[in-house]
Amino acid sequence: MALLAGVLLAAPLPVVRAGEMVIYGVEEASPVTLMISTSPTTLDTHGIPQPALGRWLAHIADKAQVRLTIRPFTGTVRLEDRMREPDTCALGYARLPSREDTVHWLYEVKRDRMVFVTRQADNFSGTLADLLKLAGGKLAAPSGVYRTILENRGIRHTVIDDQRQLARMVDAGDPRFGLLIGGSLASPEIKALNLRVVAELPEQGFWLACSRDMPDAVLERIGTTLHSPASEQLHRETMTTLLPALATDP
């Protein structure tokens, strides 16, 4: 156990300042861009991965011999389009039937649900179908799978990528509804707000997935690292620290 602990502490963390791009790994390693959501369980308010998550990502970069550049999802580029680029992976990529054959699914990071929230004082009372009928133009959601799901249903919405900001806006009453990942509700920033869940979508898997066109050698190194005992221990520590309600035994 002492030896394993030493291995886990060996991967260096990046030195970054607020507003700078976060990169793990050495300059000469294979470049990989990792797309990541902006939520309290992934990035802090400066856009830097939360410490537990950062330790896992640093380990992956070190052992897989990749230079991992962290980029948040944004509303300016569709995530599905970005995932066609051969140097790109995504952390927390929802495993939808429409995406099944478009990427390599390397590692299931978590299972979670997406929830619709509104203010505690809002008088909405109804089913998911009722909510979706009146949500058009009154709903905000992040980029990524949220955008895909809502557009497939023809629901107009405002894109607010930072889930903290989105929750604060709903708490202030504009927009009336927000769509969040369930795990974010337990974060101190969002838990302190006067919000309530009014509907939810079924739980699904969120994966670390990479482009179908990523070079085989790079893909193999990342996949092997993710399933190593040291990486899986760091993943469990990340889940226990940031998403205790979702953490499960191996």
Side-chain angles (χ1 to χ4, degrees):
M1 182 61 71
L3 177 60
L4 180 56
V7 171
L8 298 184
L9 293 173
L13 295 178
V15 177
V16 293
R17 292 182 292 273
E20 290 187 341
M21 189 178 299
V22 180
I23 300 175
Y24 300 91
V26 297
E27 185 71 38
E28 60 271 20
S30 303
V32 172
T33 296
L34 183 69
M35 307 299 293
I36 190 169
S37 63
T38 304
S39 76
T41 58
T42 55
L43 305 178
D44 66 17
T45 55
H46 301 300
I48 298 171
Q50 298 287 4
L53 177 59
R55 286 189 289 272
W56 185 39
L57 296 179
H59 177 79
I60 293 169
D62 180 52
K63 299 304 179 183
Q65 302 169 47
V66 296
R67 184 167 172 81
L68 207 57
T69 300
I70 308 303
R71 291 189 183 277
F73 301 165
T74 68
T76 58
V77 178
R78 294 190 67 90
L79 187 55
E80 285 89 345
D81 293 338
R82 188 63 198 258
M83 289 296 284
R84 295 189 180 97
E85 299 179 11
D87 66 344
T88 301
C89 299
L91 181 69
Y93 199 54
R95 193 161 187 170
L96 303 177
S98 61
R99 295 173 169 178
E100 192 61 39
D101 298 325
T102 61
V103 299
H104 291 282
W105 303 98
L106 297 186
Y107 193 83
E108 187 173 42
V109 177
K110 63 179 179 178
R111 297 193 64 81
D112 205 348
R113 70 203 201 285
M114 286 175 282
V115 296
F116 293 87
V117 298
T118 190
R119 291 180 299 165
Q120 286 283 359
D122 192 284
N123 62 5
F124 174 81
S125 177
T127 65
L128 173 61
D130 296 329
L131 173 63
L132 295 178
K133 286 178 183 177
L134 60 84
K138 303 176 182 178
L139 172 67
S143 303
V145 65
Y146 312 87
R147 176 178 179 177
T148 300
I149 289 173
L150 295 174
E151 288 185 352
N152 287 345
R153 294 173 180 264
I155 298 173
R156 292 183 297 109
H157 66 286
T158 302
V159 175
I160 306 294
D161 285 314
D162 188 330
Q163 294 194 34
R164 298 177 186 85
Q165 180 186 358
L166 192 161
R168 290 194 297 266
M169 291 171 65
V170 174
D171 186 47
D174 185 21
R176 183 178 180 185
F177 302 105
L179 182 56
L180 302 171
I181 194 71
S184 293
L185 298 180
S187 65
E189 303 101 312
I190 296 179
K191 192 174 183 179
L193 301 175
N194 293 311
L195 301 176
R196 64 185 178 93
V197 175
V198 289
E200 64 182 65
L201 298 173
E203 181 184 83
Q204 64 181 34
F206 291 85
W207 289 63
L208 197 157
C210 294
S211 170
R212 275 277 169 187
D213 295 325
M214 179 165 284
D216 290 342
V218 178
L219 195 70
E220 183 176 355
R221 294 201 304 270
I222 295 173
T224 299
T225 298
L226 287 168
H227 291 279
S228 69
S231 177
E232 291 190 334
Q233 179 175 325
L234 279 170
H235 173 250
R236 288 193 296 272
E237 291 176 1
T238 300
M239 293 294 290
T240 300
T241 302
L242 300 177
L243 292 165
L246 303 182
T248 58
D249 293 331

